[in-house]
Amino acid sequence: MILRPASHTDAPTLAALGRDSFCAAFEHLYTPGDLATFLQEVYSEKVVAREIADPRCIHRLAEDEDALIGFCKLIHPSPYAAHSDAANPIALGQLYTAPGRTGEGIGAALMDWAEAEARERDHDAIQLSVWSENRGAQAFYARYGFAKIADIDFWVGSHRDDEWLLELRL
């Protein structure tokens, strides 16, 4: 496995992996209309290409010899900054692995990169949101020292989910 930055040519593959990963984990929670709206707003090739080009968003891709197998992104300024007294937090978004690839160390490699990158950029906290019922993700982040700091909303179309805002102080 190698980790590398995203380039504009990665947008189609990255958008597809985002859609596939989100749907594999959460599709059953939403109506087809709400899901379609969300996927278009978050995982269309146009949206992903715009994020890759945005200097406020740093993508890291995980690949094996065959394909893209995971990704994450760091966002600064953090959209969650108001929920914390951290002076310079950064947000971690969409730490996803390809469906069926969980447990292979992909997420850990991406998390290690994100923490090192945040420290290198002099951030004092990493913030992220996780679905309140996603016990596996909560346990993963707890192993890194993340703690819940707030309850927040997450919208998929017109459907509101209860999310936990987690933070790791650096």
Side-chain angles (χ1 to χ4, degrees):
M1 173 177 55
I2 63 163
L3 299 182
R4 67 170 178 84
S7 73
H8 70 322
T9 60
D10 292 310
T13 307
L14 187 53
L17 178 56
R19 287 188 306 268
D20 292 348
S21 296
F22 186 86
C23 287
F26 305 115
E27 182 175 27
H28 67 283
L29 300 172
Y30 309 111
T31 66
D34 283 337
L35 182 63
T37 297
F38 177 80
L39 294 177
Q40 184 62 32
E41 291 172 350
V42 178
Y43 296 114
S44 70
E45 287 182 30
K46 184 177 180 179
V47 169
V48 172
R50 192 169 43 243
E51 282 186 345
I52 291 170
D54 187 339
R56 297 172 296 178
C57 190
I58 309 159
H59 286 81
R60 188 59 42 162
L61 309 183
E63 294 180 319
D64 64 12
E65 60 280 349
D66 298 320
L68 182 64
I69 57 173
F71 72 96
C72 69
K73 64 184 179 184
L74 290 171
I75 305 143
H76 187 262
S78 173
Y80 311 116
H83 294 281
S84 170
D85 63 356
N88 189 27
I90 194 165
L92 174 64
Q94 300 166 344
L95 194 158
Y96 288 166
T97 61
R101 302 292 302 261
T102 301
E104 296 180 23
I106 302 163
L110 289 166
M111 187 68 237
D112 291 343
W113 169 83
E115 186 174 345
E117 187 72 13
R119 288 180 190 282
E120 183 176 313
R121 292 173 180 264
D122 293 322
H123 294 284
D124 60 346
I126 301 174
Q127 301 172 327
L128 62 90
S129 73
V130 64
W131 182 40
S132 63
E133 296 183 38
N134 189 342
R135 304 293 182 241
Q138 292 165 16
F140 174 82
Y141 293 121
R143 286 193 298 272
Y144 283 88
F146 282 85
K148 181 181 174 185
I149 61 168
D151 292 305
I152 60 173
D153 296 339
F154 182 82
W155 290 91
V156 175
S158 63
H159 181 98
R160 185 192 64 78
D161 283 329
D162 294 326
E163 291 268 314
W164 290 1
L165 180 59
L166 305 181
E167 183 174 78
L168 171 65
R169 287 300 179 111
L170 302 175

